[in-house]
Amino acid sequence: MEDGEQRVPFIKTWRTPVQNVGTDTREYDVLTWKAKTGVLKGAFIPFATAPLKENDEIFNILATSVIGSIAEHLLAGGAPSTNARVAAAPEPGSSDTPESLGLVRLPPTLQDLLTAFDTASTSEAIKTKRQGAERAFRSRLPPWGSYEARVLQGIWAAAPYLHNGSVPTLAELLKPSGQRLSQFSVGRKYDIENVGLAATQEPLSETLSLTDCSNINSGNSRCGHEYGTSLSDPEKRALLEYLKTL
């Protein structure tokens, strides 16, 4: 585990590896989708994002919305509104500048937001990564199908597991992909022993049907994350008991 950037004095961080572990890829591909921007058409963050088009990538819409919301909240000191705006949508064809619109640059404490959403060439970068090309882009997107792992604290309460919620319990996650359940019910009942959703839920609970590794882009594939699958049964049980304590 590599040390990460120090954000607060005397508090260490670690750099989380982002890699493809064979899980469902559909959520990654969603980054290439486009949507109508509606009232956000033309909105932009000065010196950070380009004005949104009438139809734009949802990643760009998300970047403008999130960066703008966080920045304005901080600049307002937590108040519900502020005149120190960081985002606006000027009239089409106008010669308005960020300054004339009353916009301000992101303060130094929020400069990290500029790299949190690297929107340059997002769609093209994803397509190229998917094809296995090595061409470098300004985008900081990880390899196709890669996701950042969540922290383990409270993992016992985070079922169902994997980024797409395709595995009901931690015990099931420790099985090879081909042996995992092809469907399960989602509800409030909890399985203390297997750590996750109980096999039997309320009568009207939703049943989630899953695909195997032959359809990894379904959005509901239970494939991947084979860590710990070769452990013995006693070792798996010991690991589950440890994870309950986090």
Side-chain angles (χ1 to χ4, degrees):
M1 185 72 71
E2 299 180 7
D3 290 338
E5 297 179 11
Q6 188 173 27
R7 300 178 183 274
V8 180
F10 311 112
I11 297 180
K12 292 188 63 175
T13 63
W14 60 89
R15 188 183 305 277
T16 304
V18 181
Q19 56 191 12
N20 188 328
V21 295
T23 55
D24 193 282
T25 57
R26 185 173 179 80
E27 188 170 333
Y28 191 100
D29 287 346
V30 167
L31 293 177
T32 65
W33 291 3
K34 291 188 176 183
K36 292 185 176 180
T37 55
V39 296
L40 288 177
K41 178 184 176 182
F44 69 100
I45 311 295
F47 321 106
T49 66
L52 292 174
K53 304 171 185 176
E54 183 175 0
N55 284 281
D56 215 320
E57 294 177 7
I58 60 174
F59 193 73
N60 295 341
I61 300 173
L62 182 65
T64 302
S65 302
V66 172
I67 294 175
S69 297
I70 294 175
E72 290 193 4
H73 180 76
L74 178 66
L75 292 171
S81 63
T82 176
N83 292 323
R85 297 184 303 157
V86 296
E91 293 297 325
S94 72
S95 58
D96 290 327
T97 65
E99 290 75 14
S100 67
L101 290 170
L103 305 181
V104 298
R105 288 176 178 266
L106 291 177
T109 53
L110 294 182
Q111 288 301 307
D112 281 352
L113 287 176
L114 298 179
T115 56
F117 293 90
D118 195 337
T119 59
S121 303
T122 302
S123 180
E124 185 182 358
I126 289 175
K127 292 176 182 177
T128 302
K129 287 175 181 290
R130 185 168 185 172
Q131 294 167 358
E134 296 298 328
R135 178 182 172 189
F137 286 92
R138 287 192 295 144
S139 174
R140 299 169 65 248
L141 289 169
W144 178 66
S146 301
Y147 306 97
E148 183 175 357
R150 56 149 290 159
V151 295
L152 290 179
Q153 282 86 347
I155 191 68
W156 57 270
Y161 297 100
L162 295 185
H163 71 275
N164 61 342
S166 60
V167 181
T169 67
L170 288 178
E172 197 72 12
L173 188 60
L174 291 176
K175 297 179 182 179
S177 301
Q179 298 178 19
R180 294 171 188 165
L181 294 174
S182 59
Q183 66 177 31
F184 61 87
S185 296
V186 179
R188 296 179 297 175
K189 293 185 178 180
Y190 187 80
D191 186 335
I192 297 177
E193 181 177 356
N194 292 311
V195 193
L197 300 178
T200 303
Q201 297 290 341
E202 293 83 356
L204 298 180
S205 297
E206 176 188 1
T207 297
L208 184 62
S209 296
L210 311 164
T211 63
D212 57 21
C213 297
S214 65
N215 189 2
I216 201 172
N217 197 245
S218 68
N220 287 323
S221 174
R222 62 184 185 273
C223 192
H225 200 284
E226 300 283 335
Y227 301 112
T229 58
S230 61
L231 295 174
S232 66
D233 288 343
E235 288 173 330
K236 289 181 180 181
R237 183 54 52 191
L239 177 57
L240 291 178
E241 291 303 316
Y242 168 70
L243 293 174
K244 291 178 185 179
T245 68
L246 299 180

